[in-house]
Amino acid sequence: LLQAASDFANYPGLQNDASAKDFLDRFPLPVILNALQTKADVPGLESTLIAALERVFQTKYGASLIPHYMPFIQVGLTAESHEVKSLACKTVTYLLENVRLIVIYPLLLDCLINGNERVATLSTDAIGKMASSPAGMDVVFPALAAQCSSLGRVRVLALIVKLFSISSYVASAIHRSNLLRLFEAEINNTNDTLATLSVLEIMYELSEVEHGREFLSTSTLLQLLSSIISNKSMESVLRSRAMMISGRLLSKVKTVVSAIDRILQDADECESALEALGEIGSSIQGAQFLLSPAARHVIYAAFDRQGRGKQLAALHALGNIFGETRSELTSDAEESLRRLIYETASKSSKLTPS
């Protein structure tokens, strides 16, 4: 069995249905699964059998057998061996439509929360596949909402980000399930700077997802970000990250822009504030909205030769506002910015604005 599994696992080409059937005719699945469970004292047996089974289940023939071995998947998801858990998580992604989701999902969620990094990643992939179907969504989202007090809550939040990226339909279902409140609860219920920063980093990833930006912009999280930015007692690193997330989300929210505008007076956090304004200005609506004191601050900083980092951040922000990565501004907006720049340049020691 060990030699045959090694040959099958290490075959250099793709394994097809015929080769998978030939292998399983010689060594039926019950024999292989029993060898895994009995933990025979044979060096390399577990890893070799797992590698062979991965390739078997990647074929249509192998995948068709999985529903008949659901007890193995359930046992595998609770095994002590992380390799066996990984195989079980992968196997779920090969399952056909008639998989018993309600039975498997809680075990996958436990793998996400308590498994090592590889197991958590594979279980996330499997849950993502489940959530892509209407039946899967009915199972996945209610259970996620119940996990807000779990020790693996940061992993649960990261999973929510992955689910948002599946489609607008799935994103809408997540929003209706009120799962975004988990982010708010996590930020509000901890005094741990590192834990709060981890949640903000995940929110930053969510702001990169198109469907995530849409729903973040309409949630109470915006007000929470504004509160973090305005709270002088907050750690600087938290306020900086909150500004960057806001910059990605906002184009017309005056409260947050006003909060960032006030931060521009603080030399220590000025660069982060300028970067956030640049993120806002990367959209046409955001750039036009910044034709206000906020844009004036960016231009002042761009001509400030005393702070090199500050000046560089301001120039990057100007690039975004003027349209480095998108279409041009309207002629009125272009003219307003031109006036602001030449007004500032006329007061500069430089002869020409460069």
Side-chain angles (χ1 to χ4, degrees), residues 33-336:
L33 300 179
N34 184 62
L36 271 178
Q37 290 175 316
T38 55
K39 298 181 180 178
D41 188 19
V42 179
L45 179 65
E46 182 180 80
S47 59
T48 303
L49 292 182
I50 286 173
L53 285 174
E54 283 185 13
R55 300 199 71 176
V56 166
F57 293 143
Q58 286 172 0
T59 66
K60 289 183 179 179
Y61 175 74
S64 70
L65 301 176
I66 296 173
H68 305 293
Y69 292 90
M70 294 301 290
F72 159 72
I73 297 176
Q74 292 174 246
V75 171
L77 289 170
T78 59
E80 292 182 7
S81 166
H82 287 298
E83 281 196 272
V84 173
K85 273 187 176 180
S86 296
L87 173 64
C89 289
K90 281 187 176 181
T91 302
V92 173
T93 66
Y94 307 138
L95 283 171
L96 303 180
E97 291 294 326
N98 60 347
V99 61
R100 289 179 289 171
L101 296 175
I102 294 177
V103 175
I104 292 298
Y105 181 62
L107 303 178
L108 272 178
L109 201 55
D110 182 71
C111 286
L112 169 71
I113 294 168
N114 299 311
N116 63 11
E117 289 300 318
R118 175 172 169 75
V119 171
T121 299
L122 292 171
S123 60
T124 296
D125 292 340
I127 292 170
K129 182 173 181 180
M130 279 188 178
S132 299
S133 68
M137 285 193 292
D138 291 341
V139 175
V140 169
F141 298 144
L144 274 183
Q147 287 294 326
C148 56
S149 61
S150 166
L151 292 176
R153 56 191 178 272
V154 171
R155 286 183 174 179
V156 171
L157 295 180
L159 171 62
I160 291 172
V161 174
K162 182 178 179 64
L163 297 179
F164 256 108
S165 66
I166 294 175
S167 68
S168 59
Y169 181 72
V170 174
S172 297
I174 295 173
H175 189 252
R176 289 194 302 272
S177 299
N178 206 22
L179 288 175
L180 286 178
R181 70 177 175 80
L182 300 184
F183 286 91
E184 184 174 350
E186 190 60 28
I187 292 174
N188 282 331
N189 294 337
T190 181
N191 293 318
D192 186 336
T193 297
L194 288 178
T196 304
L197 183 60
S198 295
V199 177
L200 288 175
E201 290 294 342
I202 295 172
M203 282 182 63
Y204 187 74
E205 292 178 17
L206 182 55
S207 71
E208 290 183 305
V209 179
E210 180 182 353
H211 311 307
R213 285 194 299 272
E214 177 184 345
F215 289 107
L216 274 179
S217 299
T218 59
S219 72
T220 55
L221 284 168
L222 273 180
Q223 188 57 48
L224 181 59
L225 290 171
S226 180
S227 299
I228 292 174
I229 294 169
S230 302
N231 188 350
K232 285 286 188 180
S233 64
M234 277 279 192
E235 292 284 346
S236 175
V237 65
L238 299 180
R239 299 172 70 197
S240 173
R241 184 47 81 191
M243 282 188 282
M244 293 306 297
I245 297 169
S246 302
R248 284 196 164 179
L249 296 177
L250 305 175
S251 61
K252 295 185 177 181
V253 182
K254 292 183 178 180
T255 55
V256 176
V257 173
S258 297
I260 294 174
D261 195 37
R262 290 192 293 273
I263 298 299
L264 285 165
Q265 313 305 319
D266 188 328
D268 292 335
E269 297 178 281
C270 183
E271 289 180 30
S272 295
L274 288 167
E275 288 180 37
L277 292 176
E279 291 281 358
I280 295 173
S282 61
S283 71
I284 290 181
Q285 297 89 346
Q288 293 178 175
F289 179 69
L290 288 177
L291 298 177
S292 64
R296 190 180 301 276
H297 286 308
V298 175
I299 294 168
Y300 287 164
F303 278 90
D304 183 1
R305 302 174 68 185
Q306 304 304 313
R308 304 298 290 178
K310 175 181 173 183
Q311 186 179 32
L312 186 60
L315 289 168
H316 277 297
L318 274 184
N320 279 344
I321 293 169
F322 271 111
E324 177 189 12
T325 58
R326 54 157 169 75
S327 57
E328 295 179 354
L329 289 167
T330 63
S331 57
D332 289 344
E334 192 90 30
E335 179 59 30
S336 295

